[in-house]
Amino acid sequence: MGNKYVYGFSEGSKEMKNLLGGKGSNLAEMTNIGLPVPPGFTITTEACSRFYEEGEKLWPELIEEIHNHLKEVEKALDKRFSDESNPLLVSVRSGAVFSMPGMMDTILNLGLNDKSVIGLVNSTGNERFAYDSYRRFIHMFSDIAMGIPKRRFDSAMDEMKHNKGVELDTELDAEDLKELVERFKEIYREEKGQPFPQDPIDQLQLSIEAVFSSWNNPRAVIYRRLHDIPSNLGTAVNVQSMVYGNMGDTSGTGVAFTRNPANGENKIYGEFLMNAQGEDVVAGIRTPKSISELEDIMPEVFEEFAKVTEILESHYKDMQDIEFTIEKGKLFMLQTRTGKRTAQAAINVAVDLVNEGKITKDEAILRIEPNQLNQLLHPTFDAKALGEALVIAKGLPASPGAASGKVYFHAKDVVEAKARGEKALLVRQETSPEDIEGMVSAEGILTARGGMTSHAAVVARGMGKCCVAGCSEIRVDEESKVIRAGELTLHEGDYLSLDGTTGTVYTGEIAKVQPELSGQFGEFMSWVDEKRRMKVRTNADTPRDAAAAVKFGAEGIGLCRTEHMFFDEDRIPAVRRMIVSNNESQRQKALDVLLPLQRKDFYEIYQVMEWRPVTIRLLDPPLHEFLPSKKEDVESLAQSMNISFEDLKDTINELEEVNPMMGHRGCRLAVTYPEIAKMQTRAIIEAALDYKVKDGVEIVPEIMIPLIGDAKELAYVKKQVLEEIEAVFTERNDSIKYLIGTMIEIPRAAITADEIAEEAEFFSFGTNDLTQMGFGFSRDDSGKFLNEYVEKGIFDKSPFEVLDQKGIGKMMEMAVELGRKTRENIKLGICGEHGGEPSSVEFCHRIGLDYVSCSPFRVPIARLAAAQAVLKEKMSIHMDK
Amino acid sequence: MGNKYVYGFSEGSKEMKNLLGGKGSNLAEMTNIGLPVPPGFTITTEACSRFYEEGEKLWPELIEEIHNHLKEVEKALDKRFSDESNPLLVSVRSGAVFSMPGMMDTILNLGLNDKSVIGLVNSTGNERFAYDSYRRFIHMFSDIAMGIPKRRFDSAMDEMKHNKGVELDTELDAEDLKELVERFKEIYREEKGQPFPQDPIDQLQLSIEAVFSSWNNPRAVIYRRLHDIPSNLGTAVNVQSMVYGNMGDTSGTGVAFTRNPANGENKIYGEFLMNAQGEDVVAGIRTPKSISELEDIMPEVFEEFAKVTEILESHYKDMQDIEFTIEKGKLFMLQTRTGKRTAQAAINVAVDLVNEGKITKDEAILRIEPNQLNQLLHPTFDAKALGEALVIAKGLPASPGAASGKVYFHAKDVVEAKARGEKALLVRQETSPEDIEGMVSAEGILTARGGMTSHAAVVARGMGKCCVAGCSEIRVDEESKVIRAGELTLHEGDYLSLDGTTGTVYTGEIAKVQPELSGQFGEFMSWVDEKRRMKVRTNADTPRDAAAAVKFGAEGIGLCRTEHMFFDEDRIPAVRRMIVSNNESQRQKALDVLLPLQRKDFYEIYQVMEWRPVTIRLLDPPLHEFLPSKKEDVESLAQSMNISFEDLKDTINELEEVNPMMGHRGCRLAVTYPEIAKMQTRAIIEAALDYKVKDGVEIVPEIMIPLIGDAKELAYVKKQVLEEIEAVFTERNDSIKYLIGTMIEIPRAAITADEIAEEAEFFSFGTNDLTQMGFGFSRDDSGKFLNEYVEKGIFDKSPFEVLDQKGIGKMMEMAVELGRKTRENIKLGICGEHGGEPSSVEFCHRIGLDYVSCSPFRVPIARLAAAQAVLKEKMSIHMDK
C-alpha cells in the first residue's frame, strides 16, 4: 500500500477513478485542463480500506497529510480556517467509484464556528445569510456526521417560529437565527455530552470518519449486494473550498450552455445574477440577466469565461452545461457536464462540430441518441403551456407525439366529429381492428388496457399517431361514455391532451409546437446511411403508410399485414361470409369477391415502393376478430348469407377462443382453409404481373407465412402457395421472381430453424410474438403486472419495448446460426416492434441480420441505430485488440 | 451383381430382408424352422433393379430360373400347372423391404385356365367354388396385372344378376358362373385384342412384370419420397402355391393362439372348420369347433399342430397367433405373428415365459406395451354388450375407463343425482375448477371442447375417472340442458356411455367388466422396479389421490396443485374475498381464514405420503378463474365484503384477461401479492413442523414456484418465501429441511436455465405449458386444428399427448445441461402430463431426469416405461459397439 492517501485536485485525473472515486477524479480533470475550480483535495479509497483496518478511525499520518493539503488550499485562496475577516469554509462529500445511494452525501460550510461566522458576516456583508448558514451547518453536521435525530432541530425551529408568530423559515431575521444557533449548540451538547466542536479540524475529522463509516451502513451494503459491487472498493472523500457569489457587487453566479440548447446555435447561452447564490438563480425571485450582459459588467471575467467555454468544448468535444460563481471578481467553475438539448440542437451541434473539425463523422453519429429523433418527427407540447396543465394519469408512451381534442368512445363518433371539423381523441378500454377508421380520424388514441405492442400501440405507431396505451389509472366505460380517473369524471366531448412520448394524460387543450427538419438533418442522415450495414425497411399496410416510410428512408417493406386491409367497410361483409362459411364452395364465393380488392391493394403498394422489396404476410389473426359482436350486425350477416340467426350465432361462438393469441391463427388458418392462402397468393402474384406489364417494373414479392412452428407445417402451406403461383403463371403465360419465407415468432421455430430453413428462403423475426410466447406474457394482459416488474427491479424495461437479448435474443441467435447452417444465403430480418428500438437494432446488427423493419416514423431512428451499431462494433474490436 | 435371382423359401432366412423383401424373408424363416409352409419362391429385389435396366421386361435367364423353381414346387406338392385332376395354383404377391401402399398387392389362384378349373372341380368336388375362383382370377389379373378397368367386369356381373333376377353374388349358381367366366374372357379379348392367356407361365410372367412395374407407379413414388425410402431398393415378388381347406373331409382350416389371449393360460386356444376355406371361419356361417376337438378328428394332424406351436413359441419366444389349412390330411401353416392379447394375458404370458426359461426378465419387461396396463387399472365395457351399442360420436380418449349414467349439465345437478343414488355423467361444453365437486360425484365426464390436457382431462386422469374430452361432434347447450349430435337430441336424465380409452360415446347403458390384478402383476412390477433408474412420483392434490398413487407404487408427490384445494364450498368465499380485496389488510384477513385450512390440507397429505418427498406448487392459475360469474354469486360476495355490486363487478371485469394462459398467473401473482405466497409457504412449513412434532416424521417439503421465466423473478419470490420460513422457524423455535425450486415451463426459462439454477434447488419440467408456449398452441383451443394437423400428416401425434422431442425436448435438454452446469446436483423431474406417457418417459430417462411424476393411475405405466428406457439404452449401447 502506497503512503500517499490524499491528492490535491491538481494531482489527479479522470483516469484515477478507482483511487479518487467518480467525483474526485472529475474535479481533478477540470482542474488540470485549466479551469478555475475552487481548490480542494481528495482522500483516497485506499484510505477508506485502511480506515477499516485501523478499527474505524483516522491515523496520525493521514491527519497530517490532510493538514498539509488544507494549508495549500488556504494559501491558494488566501483564506484561513476560523478567520474573522475571510474564513475558509469547505464542503465534504463522499465519492465512491460507482455512485451509490445510502451513503453520506454532503456537508456544506464546514469550518463555521463562533469566530468564522463573524468572518462570513464581514465578507458577505449579510448577517442573516451568515447565521442561517451556521445553523444549517450545525443541523447538517449533527444529523449526518454525528447521528443526532433531525427532529430535535426541527422542533427547536418550530418553537422559534411559534414564539415569533411566523409561518415560514424565511420570516426569521438575523437575530432570531443567532438565537437558534445557540439553541442548536445546546441540543448538540445535550445529545453528545460535549460542546459543538469549534475547531474546523475536529469538524473535518469527524466528517471524514462519518463518510468512511457510511460505506458500510445497511442501505449501502444492500445496494452493493444487489448491484454486484465489490464491498472492498471503499469510498473516497472530497474536501473542497466553498466560494460565494453573494460577496458584493463583484461577486455573482450563473449557469450557461456553450451553445444554444434549443437550436444548437454556436453562441454562449445562459443567465446570471450579481451578488447572489446559485439557489437565487433557480428560485426566480430576481430576474437573471442574459450571459451576454456579463461582458459589459465585468469584461475581463467574461473574457476568461469565454475562454473557459472554449477549453471545455475542445476538451469534452461537445456542448457543455456549466455552473459558475464569481467571488470578488474571481471566476470559479463549479460544474461542467454535457448539455441537454433538443433533438434539433443535437443534430445541428453535431454537424457543426464536424464542420469545425472538432469531432469526426463517426463521433457525430454516436453522439445522437436515436430515440431523440422522435422529437424531430412529431409535434410536442409547448413547454410553457405544459407547466400549467393538470396531469390526470400516466400510461405507456405507446406512440410519440402530442395531441389534444374532445374525447369520444366509439370509432364512428370520432369519424363524425372529424367530419364536423372537431379535433377528436379516441378513448377505449382497448382498440380492435374494427376501430381502424376511428383511429385514422382521431388526433390521438388513449386506451386503458394493453401494452406497448397492443393493437392500439402498433397501429398508432404505424400511422405516426400519438397514442397513450395501457393507462390503468383511468377507467373507461364505453357504454355510459365516461372516463373515471380517481375523483375526476370526464364525459364525451370533454377536452383531454395526450403526450405519447411520455405517456402523460392532461386535462384540457394544450398548445403544441411543430418540429422543423433542418438541412443539417439531411446531411447527418446521409453520413448515417454511409456507415450502416443493415438495410432498414418498414412495416406498412397501406400506400399512404408506405409513402411516408419511403420519405423517411425506408428501403423496402418488411411487413405488410394483409388483414388490416380486411376491415374496410366494403370488404368486411365478404370477409365475414368467408369466415362463417360451412363449406368450401360457399367460402370460395366470398374469396372471389375479395380477390380483386386485395390485388388492387398490392398493386398500389408496389407502385409506391417501386423497385424496393415488399414482404407480404398471409392472413395472421384469429378469424373471430373479424366477426360482428353486435346483434344487428349478426342479423344482417345471417340475412345476407341466407342462414338462421341461431346457426350463425353458434358458428361465431364456436370460433371464440380462450387464448386467441395461441389459437387458430397464422399458418394454422392456411392448413385448415388453404383456399384463403391461395386467394392471397393469387392477389400478390397477379398484382406483381400487372405491375410488370402496365408499369414495366419487376418487383420481387416476398410471401411470408406466419406462425410456423414446424418444418412440415411450412412445407404443407408452401405447397398450396406454390401450386397457386404455378396456376397463375400458366394462366397469364408470364412469370416473375418471388421468395417464400416465414416468420420466426414461435420459440420452437427458433429452436428447429435448421429444419425450417430447408423450406424457407427468408426468416423474419416476429419478436412481438417471440417475446410473448418465449416469456409466456400475453401482450394484451401483461401491462398491469409488467409495470410492477419494472418497479420492483425484476426487469429494467418491459421486454416488449426493449428486446430481451439474454433469452429471446438467444433464441434469435440460435435461429440465425441454425438457419445459415442449412441455407447459407438465407435472408434474415426482423419485423417485430423491436426493429425500431435502438438497443434492439444494435443487437440485430451484432447477430448478423440483413435488415430491420419498423413503423414508418421509426425508420430514421433505426437507420441511426444501425449505423451506431457498426461504429460500436468497430470500437469494441479495437478495445479487444 | 450375382447370378441368382430366385430363392426357394428354404434357401432364405429372415436376415435376407434386403434381398427377399419383408414377406419373402419371413416365409423363408418359417420354412426353415420346420413349419410346413406351402412351398414357393421369391424373386429378389435385385431382379427388380435389373428389370428396369432391361427396359422393363424379364430376361431369358430369369425366366428359366423361375421355371426351375416352379418345377420344384410342383414336385414338392405333387401338383402340376394346368392339370385336370390336381392342378398347381399359386399366389403372386409383391414384397418390398418396407411395406408400402400403392404397389400391386396380391393375385390369387394364378394358374387357373379352362383345363385347371376342371382339375379344381375334381379336387374340391365343388364346381361352384371352382368357377367362382376362376372368374375372380380373371377379374383380378385383368385389373391388377393388365390394367383393364374394373367396372367392365362389375357391369357384366350386374347384367348377369339382373338377367337372373337375383340380388347377391352368392345367389348365382355354378352354371351362371361358368357363363360369367366366358363373358369375362370376352371382355379381356375386347380390351387387349388377344385371348385371355391360358398358359400359367404367361400368366405368371405378366404378373411378375406388373409387380415390378408397380414399384414405380405414382402413389408408390410419392410414398417413398414422403418416407425417405430410397427409390433404388426395388421390390421382391413372392410366388407361393395355393392350398385348400375345402377339398373334402380330410381338409380344413383354422386360426389359433398358442396360449389363451384373454388370460394367458398356457394351452392352445382357437377354432377350426373341416372342409372349409379361411373366409368361412371368419364369416360365421358355420359354427367353428374348438381346437381341442381336432385331436379327436385327426389325431396325427393335431399332434403335428401342437408341435408346430411349440416350435413357434421357442423360435419367436412369444405367444403366436397362427393361421393354418389342412389339405387332404396335410397341415400347412399360412401365417404366424405375435398374438394380440389382453393386458392381463400379456403380463401372465410374460411372467410364465420367464418362469419357463424361454425369455429373460429384461425381455419380459420389454414385451409389455406400457399403455396396455391401463386395461388392468380401469373397468372396460363388456365386449358383447358393446357390439350392440350405438356410437353417437368420437372425442379424445382423455382419461381411460368405461362409464355409463344419466347425463347432467351442471356440477350441482350431478352431486344431487348421486345423492339420490343415480349414476350420473357430467356433460359440459368444457369444465372449470368450479366443477370439481361434480366431477368427483360423476361416473364419467364428457366435454365438447378442450384437448388432452384441458382441465377436464387433467383432473379426470388425476382422479382415475373416465373422461372423453374435446368431442367436437356434439353440441352441448348447458342452458337448455340438451346435447345435439347430428340428428340426435339428448336431454337431461337420458343415458349415455363413455369409453375413455377410445374416446367413443354411446347411447344407453352398457354392461362393464371390472379388471383383476393377478399375482403375476405384482411379480412383474417388482422386476420392473429393479431395473429402472428414474423415480416415479405422482401428481396429487388430495389425500385420496395420494393414497391411490402410493398403492400404485408412487414414490413421492411431484406436483401438488394448491389451487385445487381452493374450490371447496367452505373456502371459495374466502378465496374470492382475497382476490377482490383492494388493499393488503383486507386481503390479509381473507388469507388468515385460508391459512389453517391449507395447513390441514398439507398435514393430511404428508400423513399419507409418510417419508416420501412432496413437491407443493404455489398458486398458479389466473385469479379470475376463482371468481363468480353468476349475478347472485357476485351479489352475495359484494354483500359479504360490504362493497357495492358495481364496484365488485368492475373489479371482476378488470381481472378478466384476453389470453389468461399467458396472463397474470403463476409467480406473477406472487410478485404482485407476496402475501398469498407467504400464506401458502407458512401453511406448508407449519404443517411439516406439526407432522414432525405430532407424528415424529420429518418430511422434506419441496416448495415449487411456478411460471418462472427469469432468474431475478425467482430470486424475488424466493426472498418472500425464505422470509416467511424464517419467521415460522423463529415463532416455533423449531426447524426442518426444505427445498425451493421452480417449474421449467416457460421457453425462456429453459433457455436461461443456468441463471435460474443459481436460485433453484430443483427443476420440474412443466411440459404442458412448455409445449403450449413453445408451440404457441393454446391447449384449450388447439383441439380442433391439431386434429387436422394429424390427419394431414403434419404431426404424427398431438404434442400435448406425446412429448415433441425434437423441439420441446430440445429445450428440456438445454435446460438440463445448463442447470447442471450451474448446480451439479440439481434435482430434475417432470410433472407435465407427459410424465405418464411411455415414449416421453423414455426420453426423460435419456436426458437424465431424476424422476417423472404423473397422475396416480398412470404410475404403473411410468414405472414400466422407466424400466424399458434403461433396457433400451443398454441395447443401443450394445448395438453401437
Side-chain angles (χ1 to χ4, degrees), chain B residues 250-270:
Chain B
T250 57
S251 297
T253 189
V255 294
F257 289 84
T258 55
R259 302 184 186 221
N260 187 322
N263 59 24
E265 192 191 358
N266 188 3
K267 201 176 149 198
I268 300 171
Y269 177 93

Side-chain angles (χ1 to χ4, degrees), chain B residues 193-250:
Chain B
Q194 287 177 353
F196 182 78
Q198 288 291 320
D199 185 349
I201 299 294
D202 291 345
Q203 292 173 358
L204 186 57
Q205 271 182 227
L206 289 166
S207 297
I208 292 168
E209 285 178 358
V211 172
F212 282 160
S213 293
S214 73
W215 172 256
N216 266 347
N217 79 25
R219 247 185 89 200
V221 169
I222 289 170
Y223 184 89
R224 285 199 294 273
R225 196 170 294 158
L226 284 174
H227 292 81
D228 288 329
I229 299 174
S231 61
N232 60 356
L233 282 182
T235 181
V237 181
N238 298 294
V239 179
Q240 186 175 26
S241 50
M242 304 281 302
V243 289
Y244 298 95
N246 55 351
M247 285 194 172
D249 291 342
T250 57

Side-chain angles (χ1 to χ4, degrees), chain A residues 195-344:
Chain A
F196 181 79
Q198 287 289 319
D199 184 349
I201 299 292
D202 291 345
Q203 294 172 358
L204 185 58
Q205 271 182 227
L206 289 166
S207 299
I208 291 169
E209 284 178 358
V211 172
F212 281 159
S213 293
S214 73
W215 172 255
N216 266 349
N217 79 26
R219 247 185 90 198
V221 169
I222 289 172
Y223 184 89
R224 284 199 295 272
R225 196 170 296 160
L226 284 175
H227 292 81
D228 288 328
I229 298 173
S231 62
N232 60 356
L233 281 182
T235 181
V237 181
N238 298 293
V239 179
Q240 185 175 26
S241 50
M242 303 280 302
V243 289
Y244 298 95
N246 56 349
M247 286 196 171
D249 291 342
T250 58
S251 298
T253 189
V255 295
F257 290 84
T258 56
R259 299 183 187 224
N260 187 322
N263 59 23
E265 192 192 0
N266 188 1
K267 201 176 150 199
I268 300 172
Y269 177 94
E271 44 192 28
F272 72 102
L273 271 176
M274 293 308 286
N275 197 12
Q277 279 205 303
E279 57 192 44
D280 301 329
V281 180
V282 179
I285 299 165
R286 288 159 58 195
T287 305
K289 296 183 198 301
S290 162
I291 200 78
S292 57
E293 293 180 41
L294 185 61
E295 194 165 5
D296 302 330
I297 298 170
M298 302 185 85
E300 299 88 26
V301 171
F302 182 79
E303 196 184 333
E304 190 190 353
F305 181 71
K307 230 159 82 191
V308 162
T309 63
E310 268 172 45
I311 293 169
L312 277 170
E313 276 210 354
S314 301
H315 190 71
Y316 288 101
K317 294 180 176 174
D318 202 355
M319 181 186 100
Q320 296 295 299
D321 169 2
I322 55 194
E323 290 175 22
F324 64 93
T325 283
I326 305 163
E327 190 185 87
K328 295 182 179 167
K330 181 160 170 48
L331 177 69
F332 289 100
M333 302 306 297
L334 298 183
Q335 180 156 47
T336 186
R337 56 188 171 196
T338 301
K340 289 211 164 50
R341 64 204 85 177
T342 63
Q344 198 190 344

Side-chain angles (χ1 to χ4, degrees), chain A residues 449 475 650 658-659 661-662 668 671 713 716 748 751 774-776 778 781 789 792 804 806 810, chain B residues 475 650 653 658-659 661-662 668 671 713 716 748 751 755 774-776 778 781 789 792 804 810:
Chain A
R449 279 207 195 176
R475 287 194 188 175
D650 270 359
V658 183
N659 298 287
M661 203 51 95
M662 301 196 292
R668 300 161 196 177
V671 169
E713 199 180 25
Y716 186 89
R748 192 184 185 280
I751 301 279
F775 273 100
S778 161
D781 304 305
Y789 270 55
K792 292 186 169 172
D804 158 53
K806 217 189 258 180
K810 193 165 163 190
Chain B
R475 285 193 189 177
D650 269 1
N653 286 346
V658 184
N659 298 288
M661 204 50 94
M662 302 196 292
R668 300 160 196 175
V671 169
E713 200 180 23
Y716 186 88
R748 191 183 184 281
I751 301 279
E755 296 185 1
F775 273 99
S778 162
D781 304 305
Y789 270 54
K792 292 187 170 172
D804 158 54
K810 193 165 163 188

